[in-house]
Amino acid sequence: MWPRLSFNRPLIWLGLSAMSAVLWLPSVSLRLGALLLMAVAMWDGWRQVKLEQRRSRLTEQVMRQSGEAVMITDDQHRIQAVNPAFTELSGFELSEVAGLSASNLAAARHDSAFFERFWQALISAGRWEGELWQRRKDGSEYPMWLEVQVITDPHGRAEHHIATFTDISLRKAREQDLRRIGREDPLTGLPNRFRLHELLASRLRHLRAGECLDLALIDIDGFKEINDGLGVSAGDRLLARFGKRLAGHVAGGVVGRLGGDEFMVLRTTTYDDHERWVEGLRSHLGEPFEIDGSTLRLGITIGSCRAPEDGNDDGVLFQRMEAALASARRHGGNCCQRFRPALDVGDGPNLTLLNDLREALAQGGQLELHYQPQHRLSDDAMIGMEALLRWRHPRDGMISPAEFIPLAERHGLMAPLGDWVIHQALTQLAHWRSRGLSPLPVWINISAMQLFQGDLEKTLATGRARHDVASQWLGLELTESVLLDDRGGDIVPRLERLRDLGHRIALDDFGTGYSSLGYLKELPLDKLKLDRAFIKALPGDSADAAIVNAVTAMARGLSLEILAEGVETAEQRDYLRQAGCDEVQGYFYARPMPAHELEALWRESATRQEANTRQAVA
């Protein structure tokens, strides 16, 4: 803003020269000129002094107004000046610290090695920046962010040090809160899942010879009903008290909350009393809780395991506890279940299989449809076929639907799988038509997921339009469980719309569900498929024979076709024919087969049927 103070100016040198020459000048006019030059030089020097004073006052004012604490020391780090922000932060006035070494104000948290690095940085780089703990006048300590700059003289020697301080107590507190939140459950104050993994891993590393780790995963049965009945706030108070009671019971152990109503306990022990310890947990937690004047006795389900017997990796132990808890839930809950190897069978493979199934859906080429022909009992003619999904895995070969269909149902893959089946079946129908084969209907299975997750009607319409296949050649098979699943809403109008579009509808696995005959009467069906469970013991089993006769009579009364599945012997076929069954499918006629094999069988059947027709006419 202003030039720095300097007397090395031409005007001042001229004034000094005039001062030395004024007495020796011969004339008055020259002496008056020298005096005038001296006066101008003095005015210039005075102006320089005033500018320096203004600069000093401004610098002092900046220091006073600065929100950052400022401290100035000499080359020996003795304090020479501080600003009001420093006094407010530390409590020390200048008179109390003037002449003291700045290091006297540092907290005792820093060792000599820290200060050695500090001095080395100042000497080598001329500045230092970092976190330092300082001591206040009242003895308390606080963290600050310190920046120190070395001020040198014209010869490069250290002359002063200017240090600026920023209190970072709030920032440190926020960082600590974030670390705590990242490792602590906010409701109960217990370690969360992340922290529990850390603690478990630490205890596993420090296990001594003869020591074991007992682990238990605890679930409160019916906690949703408690929330619904008493309110979320009361549910939260119950969880907090539950965690407190659990922590009080497990002396020397670790208690944490994984989320929801799941808690975890682990303890280091030398006793072989795992089952008794777990049962003790369940008994203690089963004592009543008082919440808002209500007395609650909780059902407690526990899955447990032990290290190193059941594993020595924290991730594996967590998985095995969860597998044990899932098994206990499947047994109805309110019980304890320890991990056993049988619970772990298939866990790893299932995860791999699930990933491979997603890959197969995304990439294509592994899934295929096999077709099992359906025959009319009156003349054994092939009148249709059922499309059955198969998965030819590139590493494991053909994988049974019994393995991957339940997996797809659990993980939301049934809708895309069902869509793939629809388009593949329509593609095959169009191909057979182009090969000159007389059209026969293909029946595909429709899952519940396709009805309330996917858009079945749109998928069917798109596929028919793309392949120019009439809807009458694609039949839809649904099980009783699908029809009764309330997630799909009222299924009757949707089935009626599908029938109006020309699709025929069959009720698959009839007799294995629990639907009433009154409900069956209202469903828009074309065909009943009698489950193989009632066929395999025919004709010797009188109970199965009675069921087959009754279902056949009922289907005839409802004007429904009936098809029997699982026909494997000539005796079964003959009995069904005598009972009035319309159609059959099963190994007696053919196993499910790829499309090209079915095409050969189809042509053979068509040729044989034509021959029978000509013979009958002749």
Side-chain angles (χ1 to χ4, degrees), residues 125-251:
R127 67 185 306 276
W128 184 88
E129 182 178 357
E131 185 180 313
L132 183 76
W133 282 79
Q134 191 91 322
R135 180 172 52 84
R136 288 191 176 93
K137 184 177 179 179
D138 61 9
S140 62
E141 298 177 353
Y142 63 98
M144 64 178 182
W145 191 258
L146 174 64
E147 297 181 37
V148 182
Q149 183 71 45
V150 178
I151 306 301
T152 59
D153 62 15
H155 302 289
R157 292 189 295 266
E159 192 175 48
H160 292 91
H161 300 93
I162 297 180
T164 57
F165 308 83
T166 304
D167 185 1
I168 57 173
S169 300
L170 292 177
R171 192 181 81 186
K172 295 284 286 185
R174 283 195 295 269
E175 290 175 356
Q176 186 174 357
D177 285 343
L178 288 174
R179 285 195 296 270
R180 178 178 55 80
I181 291 170
R183 288 170 167 78
E184 182 180 294
D185 173 56
L187 178 63
T188 62
L190 298 173
N192 62 10
R193 180 182 287 270
F194 179 80
R195 181 60 177 154
L196 286 168
H197 270 285
E198 290 184 335
L199 294 170
L200 177 55
S202 174
R203 292 218 172 188
L204 287 169
R205 285 195 302 270
H206 295 95
L207 270 184
R208 300 173 183 170
E211 288 184 337
C212 295
L213 266 180
D214 285 326
L215 300 96
L217 194 58
I218 302 168
D219 179 65
I220 302 174
D221 296 341
F223 185 72
K224 182 180 183 300
E225 285 71 20
I226 295 173
N227 261 348
D228 293 342
L230 299 180
V232 175
S233 178
D236 286 347
R237 289 196 296 276
L238 174 62
L239 290 173
R241 293 185 192 180
F242 188 91
K244 185 176 181 180
R245 179 185 291 187
L246 187 56
H249 181 68
V250 187

Side-chain angles (χ1 to χ4, degrees), residues 70-108:
V70 180
M71 178 175 66
I72 301 175
T73 67
D74 61 14
D75 60 328
Q76 298 300 315
H77 304 285
R78 291 186 293 264
I79 299 173
Q80 292 187 331
V82 297
N83 70 342
F86 174 87
T87 300
E88 183 180 351
L89 181 61
S90 67
F92 289 108
E93 298 285 347
L94 175 61
S95 59
E96 296 172 302
V97 296
L100 292 178
S101 174
S103 60
N104 289 343
L105 301 181

Side-chain angles (χ1 to χ4, degrees), residues 408-422:
E409 289 175 341
R410 288 199 301 272
H411 295 277
L413 295 180
M414 279 310 298
L417 272 177
D419 291 349
W420 184 91
V421 169
I422 289 171

Side-chain angles (χ1 to χ4, degrees), residues 10-74:
L11 194 57
I12 293 176
W13 283 111
L14 287 172
L16 291 173
S17 300
M19 184 186 301
S20 62
V22 69
L23 298 176
W24 305 99
L25 293 172
S27 65
V28 175
S29 60
L30 289 175
R31 290 178 183 177
L32 289 174
L35 289 173
L36 180 62
L37 190 59
M38 287 170 57
V40 172
M42 290 177 65
W43 173 83
D44 187 55
W46 176 250
R47 191 171 67 91
Q48 291 295 309
V49 171
K50 296 298 288 182
L51 288 175
E52 184 61 27
Q53 288 177 346
R54 291 175 67 184
R55 183 185 297 109
S56 297
R57 285 197 303 271
L58 181 62
T59 302
E60 184 178 350
Q61 189 66 23
V62 169
M63 280 189 62
R64 288 182 177 278
Q65 295 296 325
S66 173
E68 291 188 339
V70 180
M71 178 175 66
I72 301 175
T73 67
D74 61 14

